[in-house]
Amino acid sequence: MPASKTVKLNTGAEMPTVGLGTWKSAPGAVEHAVEFALRNGYKHIDTAAAYKNEKEVGAGIAASQVPRGSIFLTTKLDNPDQKEASEALESSLKNLGTDYLDLWLMHWPAPMTKDEPAVADPSHDWLDTWKSMEALYKKYPEKLKAIGVSNFSVEFLERLLAVAEVVPAVNQIEMHPSCPSQDVLDFCRGKGIVVTAYSPLGSDNSPLLTNEVVTKLAEKYDVTPANILVSLQANKSGVSVLPKSVTNTRILSNTVIIDLTEEEMKELDAIDKTHHFRACHPSWTGWGSLGFPDCK
Ligand code: A2P
């Protein structure tokens, strides 16, 4: 299937397939990256309260002078804020300098304390967090255009859908050839939930950029290894993808999407069979595997 330009959410909204990721984009670098990306054709920016860069992302949006209505903006409810979803939403809106979010995600099904460092908080149930998010979504449609989740395994999605009144629009998960997450993708497709791939390159110092399957295809199509990795996700139906960069040349280059064949996509995702890794293992939350079979 050829790569998509936009992906339709269950709300009817169109999410641009490729967005700029900002995990690990430090304050100081991210304002410029967001401004540069928006001035050069990006229409989708992803951030999170946990990244501690929402203010700079907002400044980058303002500096770009791109109208807010032309931008798809996502942020996420931080784990220590799960008991105070309403306050957290207002804080994110203020930090980003915007009246509304195109998408607001529960960052992890993993409530944590406000300690430094934060630890797992068993006194709160993330299902109650979803209920708070649903209530805010219904009460303030002008502030929240869509709600969704992130880092949800099939097991946790099943638990969510058993009680949810609003089906999440999106599940944002780690997805690259060493973590294809096919089980989550298949489940989400069946429920009309868009999957957004984070760390599509494999994050910092990724071995995927020099993997021989990736470099062979990069040579064949005369593109960079990063282009192959972003294209792989953009070629999947119901998937959007968030390459992260703070480097101008890479921000520009990462939007070059090519059409891959089914066989090439299978060959890329088969890398996982011999070299599996996660850039972000769920156990950092103190909640164990969060239902991901490869993390048990
Ligand atoms: P930087 O931000 O310094 O440009 P992921 O999207 O999988 O999280 O990967 C992000 C990492 O990949 C960052 O270290 C980023 O570096 C780097 N990166 C982003 N784009 C490219 C590219 N086109 N080629 C090589 N490395 C890249």
Side-chain angles (χ1 to χ4, degrees):
M1 179 185 285
S4 64
K5 295 244 183 315
T6 63
V7 185
K8 205 181 194 66
L9 305 184
N10 61 11
T11 57
E14 298 280 350
M15 172 192 246
T17 302
V18 179
L20 182 74
T22 65
W23 179 39
K24 299 185 185 167
S25 294
V30 71
E31 177 179 339
H32 171 79
V34 169
E35 179 187 353
F36 184 81
L38 290 173
R39 283 184 185 271
N40 286 282
Y42 281 73
K43 296 198 174 317
H44 176 179
I45 305 289
D46 180 272
T47 181
Y51 303 164
K52 310 276 184 233
N53 63 13
E54 285 179 323
K55 271 192 187 157
E56 288 77 8
V57 168
I61 291 172
S64 75
Q65 295 185 323
V66 172
R68 174 68 185 87
S70 308
I71 303 167
F72 191 102
L73 179 61
T74 303
T75 193
K76 311 183 191 85
L77 173 63
D78 200 3
N79 302 339
D81 296 334
Q82 290 206 11
K83 283 179 181 165
E84 296 150 10
S86 177
E87 291 84 345
L89 172 62
E90 291 308 319
S91 165
S92 285
L93 290 171
K94 191 165 169 234
N95 284 335
L96 287 162
T98 185
D99 297 334
Y100 72 94
L101 300 173
D102 294 279
L103 179 63
W104 193 41
L105 304 178
M106 188 193 314
H107 205 150
W108 294 84
M112 294 173 77
T113 65
K114 289 186 183 286
D115 301 326
E116 290 283 345
V119 293
D121 180 0
S123 74
H124 186 73
D125 187 339
W126 56 264
L127 285 169
D128 290 330
T129 307
W130 184 251
K131 286 181 193 145
S132 304
M133 292 175 71
E134 286 180 333
L136 290 164
Y137 175 64
K138 288 177 188 169
K139 190 167 176 196
Y140 301 115
E142 72 289 0
K143 290 187 191 179
L144 286 175
K145 303 296 176 194
I147 55 173
V149 296
S150 181
N151 298 297
F152 269 58
S153 61
V154 172
E155 184 185 321
F156 277 53
L157 285 168
E158 280 173 336
R159 284 168 58 187
L160 179 72
L161 293 180
V163 297
E165 288 175 21
V166 178
V167 175
V170 165
N171 182 21
Q172 185 181 128
I173 55 170
E174 177 166 352
M175 200 153 82
H176 48 69
S178 285
C179 186
S181 307
Q182 192 63 44
D183 59 334
V184 181
L185 179 54
D186 290 342
F187 183 88
C188 287
R189 278 179 178 153
K191 303 290 180 192
I193 301 170
V194 164
V195 171
T196 300
Y198 76 75
S199 294
L201 310 179
S203 198
D204 294 338
N205 306 311
S206 174
L208 290 169
L209 293 170
T210 50
N211 178 284
E212 62 180 21
V213 176
V214 178
T215 54
K216 179 189 75 180
L217 290 172
E219 273 171 39
K220 173 180 168 184
Y221 287 105
D222 195 21
V223 295
T224 68
N227 294 143
I228 297 294
L229 294 166
V230 177
S231 296
L232 170 64
Q233 307 309 335
N235 272 253
K236 295 177 182 175
S237 67
V239 173
S240 58
V241 53
L242 302 170
K244 173 266 174 185
S245 180
V246 291
T247 313
N248 287 358
T249 50
R250 291 170 170 177
I251 291 171
L252 282 182
S253 159
N254 287 347
T255 59
V256 174
I257 303 297
I258 51 148
D259 294 340
L260 295 164
T261 66
E262 284 293 326
E263 292 69 35
E264 288 163 347
M265 292 169 68
K266 279 195 188 125
E267 198 185 358
L268 285 162
D269 276 339
I271 292 171
D272 180 59
K273 294 197 176 110
T274 51
H275 188 194
H276 177 80
F277 72 85
R278 280 180 181 268
C280 189
H281 195 286
S283 62
W284 78 269
T285 61
W287 284 95
S289 69
L290 296 180
F292 288 102
D294 61 304
C295 300
K296 284 181 179 164

